[in-house]
Amino acid sequence: MPLPICCLNGAYLPLSEARVSPLDRAFLFGDAVYEVVPVYAARPFRLREHLERLDRSLAGIRMAAPLSHPDWARLCQELITRNSAHDAYLYLQVTRGAEFGRNHAWPENLTPTLFGYITALEPLSPLIVEKGVAAITAPDTRWARRDIKSTALLANILLKKISADAGAFETILLENGELTEGSSTTVHVIKEGIVQTPPNGHHILPGTTRDVVTDLAAGLNLPCRSARIAEANLRDADEIWLAFSTRGILPVTTLDGAAVGTGKPGPWFKRISGAFHDYTKALAGTPAL
Ligand SMILES: Cc1ncc(COP(=O)(O)O)c(C=O)c1O
């Protein structure tokens, strides 16, 4: 559930009362970028990495960064404090702003709209931890700059809805016979004790949780490689993990109805998931930036 106080253009106000213009380019064109930052024990997690990605997304759509990293950190902390948030996730959005009219080519003098709010993270259902989640595959129908975290998510939401309609958790995307990512997750494939995930580039979002997996895998002596993954290797995996900010790491136990490995969360998932939990605990009380 979203928590009650949001931040709109520097003002803190009830989320239920926040208003933006229908002429805002985010509304008209999806002309905006965003970030989702996990919060564990009232501390933003990997904030620097999220803000660096936000800066790259802004540069990708030819916008200047409207706030410095310390200013973003203050905004995040205000949202956490004013909402007494503990485990949660922050949503930060920057739009190109509104003009009086609708022009594809934007004028240069627009004032960006800044919006942030925070949602409490509900505890993960024990059933998911015990049984894992189902995923189905679909062709990747998105645009060519998936590394930009744009709010123009029409393809992503249509793809996610396919799995929701099928009673599955995620739609895993394939392009030219290879894995790209999930509709809102990074995908890791584990085979014979080696973790693989597709290399970053324009074709996928560089996931922040992906980098946490890489760091933690090193501590577990689990080799982790960035490599192109053929559809056949995805289907032949011992384990498949989804990594994403709002839930950390989740095991996929069926793919298109077929069991992944034993059809239960695998031994490596249990180790990486434990390491992830310990890591978030160890960071409690340390500076966010
Ligand atoms: C398309 C897509 N890929 C990957 C991810 C995972 O990124 P992160 O771990 O930074 O949340 C997301 C998260 O929203 C996403 O939307």
Side-chain angles (χ1 to χ4, degrees), residues 260-280:
V260 176
T262 61
K264 296 204 170 97
W268 285 113
F269 169 73
K270 288 181 187 147
R271 295 185 65 189
I272 198 95
S273 170
F276 188 87
H277 185 73
D278 294 347
Y279 178 50
T280 59

Side-chain angles (χ1 to χ4, degrees), residues 53 142 149 156 181 183-186 205 207-209 243-245:
R53 187 171 64 186
R142 299 172 301 158
K149 199 165 167 64
N156 299 62
E181 59 185 336
S183 71
S184 64
T185 58
T186 300
L205 184 76
T208 58
T209 320
F244 55 120
S245 287

Side-chain angles (χ1 to χ4, degrees), residues 132-150:
V133 296
I136 59 172
T137 56
D140 198 334
T141 49
R142 299 172 301 158
W143 72 323
R145 286 303 306 274
R146 303 163 190 160
D147 55 317
I148 297 174
K149 199 165 167 64
S150 159

Side-chain angles (χ1 to χ4, degrees), residues 14 21 45 49 61 64 95 131 135 140 161 166 170 189 196 198 273 277 283:
S21 166
F45 179 72
E49 289 78 0
I61 66 162
T95 92
K131 300 205 155 166
D140 198 334
K161 187 69 172 153
E170 178 61 304
V189 168
Q196 295 200 323
S273 170
H277 185 73
L283 289 172

